[in-house]
Amino acid sequence: MMVSNDWRKLSIVAGSLAILLFVVNLLAADAPIAKLWSFSAPLSGYTIVVDPGHGGPDGGAVAPDGTIEKTIALSVAQYLRDYLQQAGAYVIMTRDDDHDLANPDTKGYSRRKAEDLKARLMMIRDHKADLFCSIHLNSNPAGGRGAQVFYDTELEASKQLAQAIQQQFQKELNSKRQIEPQDDLYLLRHAHIPAVLAEVGFLSDAEELPLLKQKSYQKKIAYAMYQGVLEYIANSQTLR
């Protein structure tokens, strides 16, 4: 009888610890419970470069109320980093705060921009990244709204990654847009790995702008991208 009681106590303790770990994992994820891969690491072994567009003197697009692209891009990128890391990925951020990657002594916007892009590309190569995700925001006074993913036509895998993320944008953000090929985006063309650029919304749209400024919506964008990466990895035969 003593052995039986001891075994029962150990089982209760073990079960309680398992429940506690489960709850902690859910809280850390800040994601829908039904969609969370709680105890797995599906991205273990993958190196992913997350690239918040612009930074420092290069603010990117500016909304009518003064909201700057670089700020929201960084916030979304940080949320995406957290989701990817929880799934086991080794994540490299091209920037973690408000700066560009040009030499501090370099003068002139065009020269700084060229140095900045080359430095971001070197981070992809130096870390032998498996995937590259760049985050930007759109602006068009003539109209437009919704998140959209761009890819380079050099690699079919980039198109597959773009489609996986776009499907999540359609599902999670109700975006009506479709993926679009580009042949002149420097980082996408020269990365030589599956690479995408996500324009996650329009700062110029009066209805979308308030959403883009909300932390909860920024997390939603990041989670959609994260789910797209998971889907791509699950279906891809090109990386491993």
Side-chain angles (χ1 to χ4, degrees), residues 46-78:
Y46 289 91
T47 298
I48 301 175
V49 173
V50 175
D51 175 50
H54 307 283
D58 176 14
V62 181
D65 69 351
T67 300
I68 304 175
E69 176 181 359
K70 65 178 181 179
T71 304
I72 296 179
L74 177 58
S75 182
V76 172
Q78 289 170 334

Side-chain angles (χ1 to χ4, degrees), residues 16 34 47 58 104 117 135-136 166 178 189 211 215:
S16 299
T47 298
D58 176 14
L117 290 174
I135 298 172
H136 290 254
Q166 189 67 53
Q178 303 293 330
R189 171 48 56 102
L211 290 174
K215 295 298 183 183

Side-chain angles (χ1 to χ4, degrees), residues 48-114:
I48 301 175
V49 173
V50 175
D51 175 50
H54 307 283
D58 176 14
V62 181
D65 69 351
T67 300
I68 304 175
E69 176 181 359
K70 65 178 181 179
T71 304
I72 296 179
L74 177 58
S75 182
V76 172
Q78 289 170 334
Y79 290 130
L80 176 59
R81 173 201 60 199
D82 293 345
Y83 286 132
L84 294 172
Q85 286 180 337
Q86 186 194 19
Y90 177 50
V91 180
I92 306 298
M93 295 280 285
T94 57
R95 66 181 182 94
D96 283 307
D97 53 26
D98 184 16
H99 72 278
D100 65 6
L101 277 67
N103 189 302
D105 297 326
T106 299
K107 306 298 182 182
Y109 177 83
S110 60
R111 291 183 62 191
R112 291 193 67 83
K113 188 65 176 178

Side-chain angles (χ1 to χ4, degrees), residues 23-205:
V23 172
V24 169
N25 199 48
L26 289 180
L27 292 174
D30 192 20
I33 294 176
K35 299 179 181 179
L36 188 64
W37 295 22
S38 301
F39 291 108
S40 63
L43 299 181
S44 178
Y46 289 91
T47 298
I48 301 175
V49 173
V50 175
D51 175 50
H54 307 283
D58 176 14
V62 181
D65 69 351
T67 300
I68 304 175
E69 176 181 359
K70 65 178 181 179
T71 304
I72 296 179
L74 177 58
S75 182
V76 172
Q78 289 170 334
Y79 290 130
L80 176 59
R81 173 201 60 199
D82 293 345
Y83 286 132
L84 294 172
Q85 286 180 337
Q86 186 194 19
Y90 177 50
V91 180
I92 306 298
M93 295 280 285
T94 57
R95 66 181 182 94
D96 283 307
D97 53 26
D98 184 16
H99 72 278
D100 65 6
L101 277 67
N103 189 302
D105 297 326
T106 299
K107 306 298 182 182
Y109 177 83
S110 60
R111 291 183 62 191
R112 291 193 67 83
K113 188 65 176 178
E115 282 191 11
D116 173 83
L117 290 174
K118 289 179 181 178
R120 294 177 198 241
L121 180 62
M122 287 306 299
M123 293 180 76
I124 297 172
R125 294 177 177 173
D126 289 347
H127 291 280
K128 296 179 173 59
D130 296 299
L131 296 177
F132 174 74
C133 296
S134 188
I135 298 172
H136 290 254
L137 288 93
N138 222 326
S139 180
N140 186 353
R145 66 174 299 167
Q148 183 177 23
V149 187
F150 297 84
Y151 66 96
D152 191 271
T153 55
E154 182 184 56
L155 288 179
E156 177 64 22
S158 292
K159 181 178 181 179
Q160 294 170 1
L161 176 60
Q163 188 61 57
I165 295 175
Q166 189 67 53
Q167 288 174 350
Q168 292 299 319
F169 281 163
Q170 293 165 352
K171 179 180 179 181
E172 301 289 343
L173 309 179
N174 198 31
S175 175
K176 306 301 182 184
R177 293 185 169 270
Q178 303 293 330
I179 62 174
E180 186 172 322
Q182 294 287 319
D183 294 328
D184 59 352
L185 295 179
Y186 178 82
L187 291 176
L188 300 190
R189 171 48 56 102
H190 296 283
H192 302 312
I193 59 171
V196 295
L197 185 151
E199 296 276 5
V200 300
F202 279 74
L203 292 173
S204 53
D205 185 79

